[in-house]
Amino acid sequence: MSDPHFQRVALIGIGLIGSSLARVIREKGLAETITISTRSAPTLARAEELGLGDRYCLSAADAVKDADLVVVSVPVGASEEVAKTIAPHLKRGAILTDVGSTKGSVVSQMAPHVPEGVHFIPGHPIAGTEHSGPDAGFAALFQNRWCILTPMPDTDAGAIEKLAAFWTACGSNVDTMDPQHHDLVLAIVSHLPHIIAYNIVGTADDLQTVTKSEVIKYSASGFRDFTRLAASDPTMWRDVCLHNKDAILEMLSRFSEDLSALQRAIRWGDGQALFDLFTRTRGIRRSIIEAGQETPAPDFGRQAAAPGAGE
Ligand code: NAP
């Protein structure tokens, strides 16, 4: 196993993910120094107030000079701009990674700018909450969650191992796959559920004018569970939709077909079809609990504010 420790880490973007990384790096002693950079002065000032790093700079170019590990944690639509800004200043031998929720698009935005001698290894921790900004992060976010790395075919194996060791030290289990496969998998496990949640909450909001406050009042009957996902960061999710378009459209058309079949079963009173589907899906939840990715506690385990309860 490689040494997970880095001399100098630069975190570009210090929201939920960046600040969780800063906290876990500090807690586990995974770097000698942490340099933090973000585009706005108020966010940088807040990161400093929270004591998340050792150095703070508005210039991402300055932040990455001398860094052995650079982690870009910004909305995926900003990846190219950030890559262009930092590329000329990256140290030879440094590892450059990101945490973006889409991978094919991040690779095409960033890879062309990465200089020779820098190890570019895109990544995605499958951990998150609906909260944003430097206050939202916590050190345990990545604990027992998966982190997917999508290295290029010619990426140095030692660098991949080192980054994998780093994520393992952060508490994650690490998988590698190609970016296209990542995008397809995430379209169904993450992107589609968020889109469905945004849609159902939007529909209910339209109805609210008819049913007054009843949607809110009786929300514990199921609706409430969608509102957590639908409260996720609008910028992040706009970018996910725009940057994983093909895989999301593919999954949406599968979803629409299955929804039509469900609609037909309800219309024709096909109780057996409904019962069979609902039994199958209940089994999926059981498997997720058995895999340690959810707790069996009532209220979806959220009374205990389960860390990393979803992306
Ligand atoms: P966040 O809390 O909203 O923080 C975003 C950070 O990016 C802030 O430092 C912000 O800077 C900066 N930023 C925003 N727009 C930018 C732009 N156009 N150019 C440069 N910097 C910009 O976001 P997050 O939840 O940490 O998400 C960061 C990345 O992680 C995203 O790519 C997301 O897809 C991925 N991710 C998120 C989750 C999740 O559940 N949230 C889970 C896994 C992966 P200022 O505040 O200074 O403007």
Side-chain angles (χ1 to χ4, degrees):
M1 187 60 149
S2 268
D3 178 9
H5 182 270
F6 287 88
Q7 278 298 316
R8 285 174 287 269
V9 172
L11 301 175
I12 312 300
I14 196 71
L16 169 72
I17 302 295
S19 75
S20 295
L21 272 172
R23 288 172 169 102
V24 69
I25 291 170
R26 178 65 52 82
E27 188 180 288
K28 310 263 182 191
L30 298 175
E32 291 307 305
T33 63
I34 304 172
T35 300
I36 289 174
S37 178
T38 187
R39 68 175 173 168
S40 77
T43 304
L44 194 65
R46 185 61 190 146
E48 193 163 1
E49 268 168 32
L50 291 167
L52 295 175
D54 304 298
R55 272 182 67 221
Y56 302 87
C57 26
L58 274 178
S59 158
D62 283 347
V64 302
K65 282 178 191 152
D66 298 330
D68 307 291
L69 173 66
V70 175
V71 188
V72 175
S73 309
V74 302
V76 290
S79 306
E80 177 152 34
E81 205 48 50
V82 170
K84 267 197 221 162
T85 307
I86 63 174
H89 309 279
L90 292 166
K91 187 171 92 171
R92 205 179 162 78
I95 294 178
L96 169 65
T97 188
D98 80 305
V99 297
S101 304
T102 69
K103 294 277 59 92
S105 153
V106 166
V107 169
S108 57
Q109 290 181 72
M110 294 183 75
H113 303 284
V114 179
E116 190 71 29
V118 169
H119 307 293
F120 176 46
I121 310 170
H124 179 200
I126 313 297
T129 72
E130 67 277 30
H131 303 296
S132 313
D135 286 275
F138 51 99
L141 178 66
F142 309 109
Q143 194 63 44
N144 198 28
R145 297 287 172 255
W146 285 93
C147 179
I148 299 175
L149 302 180
T150 64
M152 315 287 113
D154 57 351
T155 309
D156 179 69
I160 301 172
E161 245 181 67
K162 178 135 181 100
L163 186 60
F166 169 81
W167 276 110
T168 305
C170 291
S172 294
N173 306 309
V174 179
D175 246 352
T176 55
M177 60 181 72
D178 71 63
Q180 286 65 35
H181 188 67
H182 166 279
D183 288 352
L184 208 58
V185 172
L186 268 291
I188 187 67
V189 299
S190 170
H191 307 168
L192 207 62
H194 279 82
I195 289 165
I196 292 165
Y198 281 123
N199 192 55
I200 193 172
V201 175
T203 303
D205 187 49
D206 293 342
L207 290 180
Q208 215 187 321
T209 51
V210 181
T211 59
K212 305 277 187 304
S213 62
E214 286 166 331
V215 167
I216 306 291
K217 186 172 165 189
Y218 301 122
S219 62
S221 53
F223 179 70
R224 187 187 59 178
D225 292 321
F226 286 100
T227 61
R228 186 186 69 80
L229 290 183
S232 298
D233 189 73
T235 306
M236 169 184 161
W237 284 96
R238 175 202 64 197
D239 281 10
V240 168
C241 291
L242 297 178
H243 290 268
N244 197 21
K245 180 174 159 182
D246 293 344
I248 289 174
L249 289 176
E250 161 73 19
M251 291 304 167
L252 265 177
S253 69
R254 295 280 293 265
F255 174 79
S256 305
E257 277 174 30
D258 291 343
L259 190 61
S260 299
L262 191 53
Q263 196 173 356
R264 202 175 319 112
I266 295 170
R267 183 183 309 286
W268 295 106
D270 188 349
Q272 191 60 50
L274 297 175
F275 187 83
D276 289 349
L277 174 66
F278 301 164
T279 304
R280 189 153 56 92
T281 56
R282 183 178 243 196
I284 299 282
R285 180 160 172 84
R286 209 174 300 123
S287 316
I288 291 170
I289 292 166
E290 279 162 17
Q293 298 300 306
E294 174 62 293
T295 81
D299 200 23
F300 284 73
R302 286 202 299 282
Q303 272 164 348
E311 172 164 321

